[in-house]
Amino acid sequence: IYGVAPNQLWLRLMIAALVTGVAALAVPQVLGVGYDTVDSALLGDLPVIILLAACLFKLLTSATSVAMGMPIGLIGPTLFIGATAGGLVAVVANYIDADLSSPAFYVMLGMGAMMGAVLQAPLAALMAVMEMTHNPNIILPAMLVIIIANVTASEVFGLKSVFMTQMDMMGIEFRQNPLSM
């Protein structure tokens, strides 16, 4: 895993397992892909404390696993974190006005925004939202939140795509200009 000496590999595996195990004791929803949690968030069935804890602990466990060099997928955790964050926004919107919109609307926007920010691929995130909803009425709000999330991640925090960051960690050079080859 990223050129780690065999004597260090077990330590990295143990750290990732320990963080994930402790987080799972507190919030079992962080284990696996989390489709059931995303479904519950879409329906508005999760209490605020579960939404908050699941969002924070999934962020912690995913970041730890990536930092330890584990070969994990990133799209699933990204959608999970976005869904739980969107569910939290839905709860806040419901406190402001119960008729603002359904929780599913905010959950979908959260998933799109997180995907756009992490992958630095706003068009792919917008297309994913469109494919998941089959609703053209979500295009404008989705564009707004995805672009804001993307610009915030890239310009305010100076972050690159998670895949570009992984390539940097592995020492792989990526040329963005195809004419420079």
Side-chain angles (χ1 to χ4, degrees):
I1 301 173
Y2 302 145
V4 176
N7 60 350
Q8 292 178 347
L9 180 60
W10 73 270
L11 181 61
R12 289 179 178 223
L13 288 170
M14 291 305 294
I15 291 170
L18 179 67
V19 169
T20 302
V22 170
L25 288 174
V27 184
Q29 289 86 349
V30 301
L31 293 175
V33 179
Y35 290 137
D36 52 344
T37 305
V38 172
D39 286 340
S40 296
L42 284 165
L43 296 171
D45 291 342
L46 293 176
V48 175
I49 191 69
I50 296 295
L51 285 169
L52 181 63
C55 183
L56 293 176
F57 280 112
K58 187 68 164 187
L59 183 63
L60 173 70
T61 57
S62 298
T64 302
S65 294
V66 169
M68 293 296 115
M70 302 299 109
I72 65 167
L74 294 171
I75 305 293
T78 298
L79 294 176
F80 180 98
I81 295 164
T84 53
L88 288 168
V89 172
V91 170
V92 172
N94 193 29
Y95 283 134
I96 294 170
D97 184 3
D99 295 329
L100 280 177
S101 189
S102 70
F105 175 74
Y106 295 101
V107 169
M108 291 305 300
L109 292 180
M111 290 167 68
M114 189 69 177
M115 184 178 175
V118 169
L119 302 179
Q120 289 294 299
L123 186 56
L126 181 62
M127 291 306 297
V129 170
M130 286 298 301
E131 288 179 9
M132 287 188 281
T133 63
H134 298 288
N135 184 353
N137 295 326
I138 201 168
I139 292 174
L140 189 58
M143 283 173 42
L144 183 66
V145 298
I146 290 169
I147 294 301
I148 289 172
N150 194 315
V151 169
T152 301
S154 65
E155 300 303 320
V156 174
F157 294 107
L159 300 175
K160 296 182 285 187
S161 161
V162 69
F163 297 119
M164 297 294 287
T165 303
Q166 283 181 327
M167 288 174 61
D168 285 345
M169 287 171 52
M170 292 187 287
I172 298 172
E173 182 182 339
F174 178 76
R175 297 178 193 214
Q176 291 188 357
N177 183 358
L179 299 176
S180 66
M181 297 178 100

